[in-house]
Structures are given as structure tokens and as C-alpha cells.
Amino acid sequence: MKNPWMSAWLSAANSIAGASRGQMIAEMNKAQTQFIQEWQRAWVDAWLALWFPTSGRGK
């Protein structure tokens, strides 16, 4: 026989876990996108500094 109180408690815990999991994934995606953009910008600046050392762009 199932315990209805345990079932209700687990259902509530699962819904809370799902909501927090969604927030964590969204925050991780945002941080990852920001990291990739900063890395690409640094990479392009480094290559421009190598190819055009007198242009002043790649610092």
C-alpha cells in the first residue's frame, strides 16, 4: 500500500528540484556563452597583434 503523504512530499520535492535544475542550466549556459565570447575576442586580438603589430588593435 502506498503512503499518500510520502507521495505528496516526493512530488513537491521533485517539482522544486526541476525548477532549480532549470535555473542552474540557464545560468551555466549564460556563463558558457560569455566565456566563449571573451575567449574569441582575446584570440582575434592576439592574431591581429601578430599579423599587424603596428596597428595598435591587438593589445
Side-chain angles (χ1 to χ4, degrees):
M1 187 167 142
K2 288 185 176 182
N3 183 347
W5 297 110
M6 179 65 77
S7 179
W9 189 88
L10 287 174
S11 178
N14 193 27
S15 66
I16 291 170
S20 60
R21 185 183 317 114
Q23 289 176 351
M24 284 189 343
I25 289 173
E27 197 64 33
M28 288 170 48
N29 286 339
K30 188 171 78 170
Q32 182 181 21
T33 301
Q34 182 181 6
F35 173 77
I36 290 171
Q37 287 176 348
E38 289 175 4
W39 183 82
Q40 286 175 338
R41 190 173 297 116
W43 188 82
V44 167
D45 285 345
W47 272 100
L48 286 175
L50 286 173
W51 281 94
F52 307 105
T54 59
S55 71
R57 173 163 163 89
K59 294 179 182 176

